[in-house]
Amino acid sequence: MTIAPVVLFAGKPAERAAYARFLPAAAEAAGQPIELVMEPDGVDRARVDYLVLAPSGPVRDFAGFTRLKAILNLWAGVEQALALPLPESVPLVRMVEDGLTLGMLDYVTGHVLRHHLGLDVLVGTRPAVPWGSHAPPLARDRRVTVLGTGVLGAACAERLAACGFAVTGWSRGPKAIPGIRNLHGADGLAEALDGAEILVLLLPETPDTRNILDAAAIERLAPGAAVVNAGRGPLIDDSALLAALDRGRLGHATLDVFDIEPLPDDHPFWAHPKVTVTPHIASVTRPETASHALISQIGRGERGEPFKYVVRRDAGY
């Protein structure tokens, strides 16, 4: 008789009802039995095989989880999970799921096209530009750089290339993504920034990526360049960004993530005419699609296969 692994949901209480519905359905569809526990309080931790974790959820310590095979992070970002006292011997698995990827594709593509077409000055009953004067270049002549070509960044780079843009992708180590110019390392970063007209940031937050877009990096971009940050707030030096916007060195910044969230009411981003603030909505974990990803990982663990997307704790992602 197959013994179903015990799966403890330790996400936000507001999401329990959704996961209580979608996780069993995904398990049934995959033919993977599970014993799902939705309430962390009072659970026998020694019986738990898989912990589904939101870093801001109800489980903040990990004593007693002696049988864990994996900690399955509910978020794409892992810096908050890594700040918890996780057991070192248990794999921490990043969330990679279709809903996250598709949501990011929509957000990034939409805002890159918005900046490419100059829609901010065209939308309205009477555009504030001379008639016939504001045709954009062709997409193939617009230089777009994506910093961070992991799962989400690679998907966005490929989508933008499919839209016709001249796309450069940059990552810490070498990548080979079809249809784009692939650069890596410190020398590659400088080359990726040089002359970029639209810069998309999709890097994780690590000591190496904090303030990666500082005053010196901004000076490498094309005059009037647009910045789209859907990665992490600390990737940008806010003071340098505001200074560049104020003097016209940058044309616009669309920001979905910030050093402090929610963004404080008195933050200068709110009132700046060249800043678009969105409330961390570029890509969210959706219970229905995420449940299939979670069950897939559990199935791998039960079959003795290696988990996918295991976090490299020394690298921070």
Side-chain angles (χ1 to χ4, degrees), residues 55 73 75-84 86 92 94 203-206 210 231-234 257 280 311 316-317:
N73 197 46
W75 302 348
V78 298
E79 60 272 10
Q80 292 189 43
L82 290 174
L84 298 173
L86 304 176
L92 173 65
R94 288 187 295 115
L203 289 160
E205 179 189 347
T206 72
R210 292 187 190 113
R232 288 290 178 263
V257 286
H280 205 139
V311 174
Y317 58 89

Side-chain angles (χ1 to χ4, degrees), residues 12 40 54 76 94 121 183-185 191 217 237 247 288 304:
K12 296 179 180 179
R94 288 187 295 115
V121 298
L183 300 173
H184 70 278
E191 188 176 351
D237 180 335
R247 63 188 175 89
E288 183 172 7

Side-chain angles (χ1 to χ4, degrees), residues 145-165:
T145 288
V146 178
L147 296 187
T149 50
V151 173
L152 295 177
C156 289
E158 290 179 315
R159 169 70 66 82
L160 293 171
C163 290
F165 290 106

Side-chain angles (χ1 to χ4, degrees), residues 79 201 204-206 209-213 229 231-238 257-261:
E79 60 272 10
L201 294 109
E205 179 189 347
T206 72
T209 63
R210 292 187 190 113
N211 289 335
I212 196 168
L213 188 65
N229 187 13
R232 288 290 178 263
L235 301 178
I236 294 178
D237 180 335
D238 289 354
V257 286
F258 308 91
D259 285 340
I260 300 173
E261 296 188 9

